């Protein structure tokens, strides 16, 4: 019998996987090659000679109404995932023997997540509920939820997992650490001569072979399972400790989207270095744009047992969001706001539905202004994609704060900072040239973030037709950015001015990266249509 009939979660998982691959194709291949046409409510496209159509809305976010179809023997028939994968494989050059299995694994993972989630109890903490709501994951990745190995459901945020970290003891002379690591000592005591190091149990399984010798000869001690449970956040490998209110960012040697999630040794140091440097920058941003917050990463700890274990056991301490948000403010992951209603507090949904335009205006001001000012005024690239930004809401559901996190993706524009004294291997990966920095800012902020939240906000306030509302939201975003330019812009704001004049936006090419089996940092950008609309003068 058909598995779609046997498993109630198979159909939504198929829809999610098919949608993600088709969105990637439209954005990265079909669009740039001129193989996509809008015909009434449909987009029609040609993939490897086959005509495909799908009803789409949501502007560049490409939300689909109903399943895609392909033309076969003169009839439109539903297009399933294996058929789309086969067409994609036929049209793309070069071949990739892993690709189909990765896409399939992503679909199976969503089905497993849905099944486990149906039995699980969401966290009472509203911020954590939003962290754990990204069931379908990145909407423009060909295999957003593919996970390698077994046992991952026990650690998955989407299934509301909780688990106790294991505790290692690191012989004192082998401790590698910088900055403020006090939060790590709260995870349990180590015997005299050792320092406690919390570890992700999944990572310890993955490192079992490398850990055997140091555990046998006493360089490391296995102190067993720690005393209390932590909660995984949306990135999977960063967890929240309700006991201390802090987050721990572990290494996890598992590919999640494009990267094996390992804290490189220079990133461990880099996080502490950036925390020192960004303090004064965020202070100035918060004075200019009240409601701007960030999550410092004041320290890391690991074991100096060679690069593999130094990186594999490295844990970064990150401030938790409740400690930085004002009283009465509830942080919510932007990714949950983009994905829909799951994990979003009722008051926020109600406000977004009742006043989509005013809600959106406040949203754009809170989120976009500090990101733009960080880049133009301070030479700092914030990777403000929907998984790296929390938006703080007041009791009435209005956006009042924006909390930026994840220093791994935060970069300093080359030439704008004095990095004297920072070792070259740490300073190099901390810097981006200005053009690359702007692409990153524009992709994360506009394409990955604002376009997705706007498409969802327009959907929920759909009196006059969703895309009518969406056009008003982009017009408002445009007015906000013009206001930013008028009130705050500094000399190098030229790329923003070009964008407001209609230049295409850069979108990261995730299908291209996976197809080429390349590193995430090698990802190229493809141009996507500018959603801001023409300027007043050009409209006439
Ligand atoms: N729309 C999205 N854009 C970017 N990432 C997304 C999106 N939706 C889900 N994600 C997930 O969020 C994570 C983003 O990765 P990122 O590199 O920012 O996190 P990280 O550095 O591992 O951890 P942290 O954010 O806690 O520092 C990945 O797991 C990715 O799958
Ligand atoms: Mg992140």
């Amino acid at each position: 019998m058909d598995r779609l009939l046997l498993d109630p979660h198979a159909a939504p998982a198929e829809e999610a996987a098919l949608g993600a691959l088709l969105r990637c194709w439209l954005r990265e291949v079909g669009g740039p090659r001129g193989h996509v046409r809008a015909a009434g409510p449909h987009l029609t496209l040609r993939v490897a000679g086959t005509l495909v159509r799908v009803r789409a809305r949501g502007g560049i976010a490409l939300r689909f109404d109903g399943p895609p179809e392909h033309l076969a023997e003169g009839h439109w028939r539903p297009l399933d995932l294996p058929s789309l994968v086969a067409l994609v494989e036929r049209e793309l050059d070069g071949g990739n023997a892993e690709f189909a299995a990765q896409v399939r694994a992503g679909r199976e993972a969503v089905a497993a997540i849905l099944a486990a989630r149906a039995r699980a109890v969401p966290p009472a903490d509203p911020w954590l509920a939003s962290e754990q709501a990204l069931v379908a994951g990145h909407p423009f990745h060909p295999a957003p939820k593919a996970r390698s190995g077994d046992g991952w459901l026990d650690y998955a945020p989407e299934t509301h997992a909780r688990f106790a970290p294991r505790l290692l003891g690191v012989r004192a002379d082998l401790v590698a650490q910088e900055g403020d690591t006090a939060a790590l000592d709260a995870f349990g005591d180590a015997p005299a001569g050792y320092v406690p190091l919390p570890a992700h149990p999944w990572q310890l399984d993955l490192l079992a072979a490398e850990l055997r010798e140091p555990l046998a000869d006493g360089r490391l001690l296995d102190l067993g399972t720690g005393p209390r449970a932590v909660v995984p956040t949306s990135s999977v490998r960063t967890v929240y400790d309700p006991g201390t209110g802090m987050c721990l960012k572990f290494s996890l040697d598992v590919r999640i989207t494009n990267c094996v999630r390992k804290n490189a040794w220079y990133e461990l140091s880099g996080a502490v270095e950036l925390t020192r440097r960004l303090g004064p920058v965020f202070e100035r941003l918060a004075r200019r744009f009240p409601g701007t917050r960030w999550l410092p990463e004041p320290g890391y700890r690991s074991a100096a047992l060679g690069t593999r274990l130094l990186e594999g056991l490295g844990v970064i301490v990150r401030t938790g969001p409740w400690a930085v948000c004002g009283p009465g403010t509830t942080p919510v992951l932007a990714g949950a706001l983009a994905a829909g209603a799951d994990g979003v507090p009722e008051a926020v949904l109600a406000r977004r539905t009742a006043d989509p335009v005013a809600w959106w205006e406040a949203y754009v001001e809170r989120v976009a202004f500090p990101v733009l000012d960080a880049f133009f005024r301070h030479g700092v690239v914030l990777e403000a994609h929907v998984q790296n930004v929390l938006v703080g809401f007041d009791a009435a559901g209005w956006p009042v704060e924006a909390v930026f996190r994840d220093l791994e993706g935060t970069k300093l524009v080359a030439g704008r900072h004095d990095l004297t004294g920072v070792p070259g291997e740490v300073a190099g990966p901390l810097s981006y040239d200005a053009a690359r920095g702007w692409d990153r800012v524009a992709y994360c902020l506009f394409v990955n973030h604002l376009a997705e939240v706007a498409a969802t906000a327009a959907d929920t306030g759909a009196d006059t037709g969703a895309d009518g509302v969406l056009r008003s939201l982009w017009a408002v975003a445009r007015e906000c950015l013009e206001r930013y330019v008028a009130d705050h812009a500094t000399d190098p704001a030229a790329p923003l001015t070009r964008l407001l004049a209609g230049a295409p936006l850069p979108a990261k090419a995730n299908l291209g990266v996976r197809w080429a089996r390349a590193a995430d940092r090698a990802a190229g950008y493809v141009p996507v249509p500018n959603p801001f609309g023409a300027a007043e003068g050009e409209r006439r």
Side-chain angles (χ1 to χ4, degrees):
M1 210 172 144
D2 192 331
R3 54 178 280 286
L4 290 182
L5 294 176
L6 282 174
D7 175 0
H9 305 295
E14 166 92 3
E15 185 188 331
L18 192 56
L21 181 56
L22 188 57
R23 272 188 292 272
C24 287
W25 181 268
L26 285 162
R27 177 176 281 177
E28 294 181 40
V29 188
R33 289 184 183 174
H35 293 176
V36 185
R37 277 190 309 113
H42 286 105
L43 291 177
T44 56
L45 58 147
R46 205 171 269 288
V47 192
T50 295
L51 215 53
V52 173
R53 72 173 188 183
V54 65
R55 292 169 81 98
R57 68 204 144 78
I60 59 172
L62 294 175
R63 305 287 166 87
F64 301 140
D65 283 322
E69 298 169 313
H70 68 292
L71 194 62
E73 293 146 11
H75 296 284
W76 288 105
R77 303 199 191 285
L79 176 70
D80 63 11
L81 186 65
S83 309
L84 180 60
V85 168
L87 292 174
V88 166
E89 287 179 327
R90 265 192 11 232
E91 184 159 335
L92 292 181
D93 297 328
N96 177 337
E98 301 163 3
F99 183 76
Q102 277 174 358
V103 174
R104 254 194 328 270
R107 179 186 65 189
E108 301 319 322
V110 173
I113 285 168
L114 287 170
R117 196 174 169 84
R119 298 187 296 267
V121 181
D125 177 328
W127 161 60
L128 287 173
S130 72
E131 291 281 353
Q132 301 198 328
L134 307 188
V135 171
H138 199 307
F140 285 87
H141 190 283
K145 289 286 160 172
R147 301 280 178 273
S148 45
D150 302 322
W152 59 270
L153 274 174
D154 293 343
Y155 307 109
E158 309 87 346
T159 65
H160 306 312
R162 282 173 172 249
F163 56 89
R166 284 258 290 283
L167 195 65
L168 297 178
V170 184
R171 210 173 67 200
D173 59 308
L174 295 171
V175 172
Q177 63 179 5
E178 282 179 63
D180 180 355
T181 54
L184 299 176
D185 298 326
F187 281 84
D189 296 327
Y194 286 84
V195 173
L197 177 67
H200 197 300
W202 188 5
Q203 177 72 345
L204 292 189
D205 288 347
L206 296 168
L207 291 175
E210 289 83 352
L211 288 169
R212 205 161 293 131
E213 268 188 37
L215 282 172
D217 64 22
R219 283 175 290 167
L220 291 178
L221 300 180
D222 184 348
L223 300 173
T225 299
R228 58 171 187 265
V230 295
V231 186
T233 67
S234 52
S235 73
V236 182
R237 44 92 160 242
T238 301
V239 302
Y240 177 64
D241 172 31
T244 56
M246 299 291 280
C247 295
L248 301 185
K249 183 171 181 171
F250 290 115
S251 278
L252 202 54
D253 288 9
V254 171
R255 180 181 300 288
I256 298 175
T257 55
N258 295 329
C259 310
V260 175
R261 302 285 162 171
K262 189 182 64 172
N263 294 321
W265 68 266
Y266 49 83
E267 287 164 353
L268 294 170
S269 267
V272 180
E273 178 66 32
L274 273 175
T275 295
R276 265 196 294 268
R277 286 169 179 266
L278 293 181
V281 171
F282 273 100
E283 245 171 61
R284 289 178 62 194
L285 287 172
R287 270 204 298 277
R288 193 176 280 269
F289 307 106
T292 304
R293 309 272 186 269
W294 69 301
L295 301 185
E297 296 178 0
Y300 78 84
R301 181 177 289 168
S302 190
L305 291 167
T307 308
R308 176 101 172 93
L309 287 180
L310 175 69
E311 296 186 334
L313 296 176
V315 52
I316 294 172
V317 177
R318 176 183 290 168
T319 306
W322 291 106
V324 305
C325 284
T329 304
T330 302
V332 176
L333 181 71
L337 298 164
D342 206 357
V344 180
E346 275 303 321
V348 176
L349 294 176
R351 179 60 57 203
R352 185 169 75 180
T353 307
D355 298 299
V357 174
W359 183 91
W360 172 247
E361 182 169 15
Y363 192 97
V364 174
E365 288 196 352
R366 292 294 86 70
V367 172
F369 286 14
V371 174
L372 294 169
D373 221 51
F375 183 72
F376 292 120
R377 192 179 305 275
H378 300 287
V380 172
V381 177
L382 296 177
E383 194 184 33
H385 65 54
V386 291
Q387 190 274 344
N388 282 339
V389 179
L390 312 176
V391 178
F393 291 94
D394 68 11
W398 291 105
V400 291
E401 294 180 359
V403 185
F404 299 96
R405 73 166 170 208
D406 193 350
L407 301 186
E408 182 193 344
T410 304
K411 305 289 172 191
L412 304 175
V413 176
R416 303 271 307 266
H417 300 265
D418 180 5
L419 292 174
T420 320
V422 183
E425 299 95 327
V426 176
L430 282 185
S431 306
Y432 263 17
D433 67 52
R436 197 160 151 242
W438 174 250
D439 277 347
R440 195 86 178 144
V441 168
Y443 162 63
C444 290
L445 177 62
F446 298 120
V447 179
N448 185 295
H449 188 156
L450 293 184
E452 297 292 333
V453 176
T456 300
D459 246 2
T460 47
D463 260 343
T464 57
D467 279 355
V469 178
L470 187 58
R471 269 193 297 280
S472 337
L473 297 189
W474 280 112
V476 166
R478 181 192 179 84
E479 283 161 25
C480 286
L481 296 191
E482 283 168 345
R483 202 156 58 241
Y484 169 80
V485 171
D487 296 348
H488 304 285
T490 53
D491 262 356
L496 180 59
T497 312
R498 277 199 296 279
L499 198 145
L500 291 173
L505 284 167
K508 184 156 159 261
N510 287 319
L511 170 59
V513 176
R514 287 279 32 85
W515 184 257
R517 284 174 274 196
D520 190 55
R521 63 180 175 283
Y525 289 94
V526 291
V528 294
N530 183 312
F532 285 102
E536 252 333 294
E538 294 160 46
R539 252 184 243 144
R540 271 180 247 120

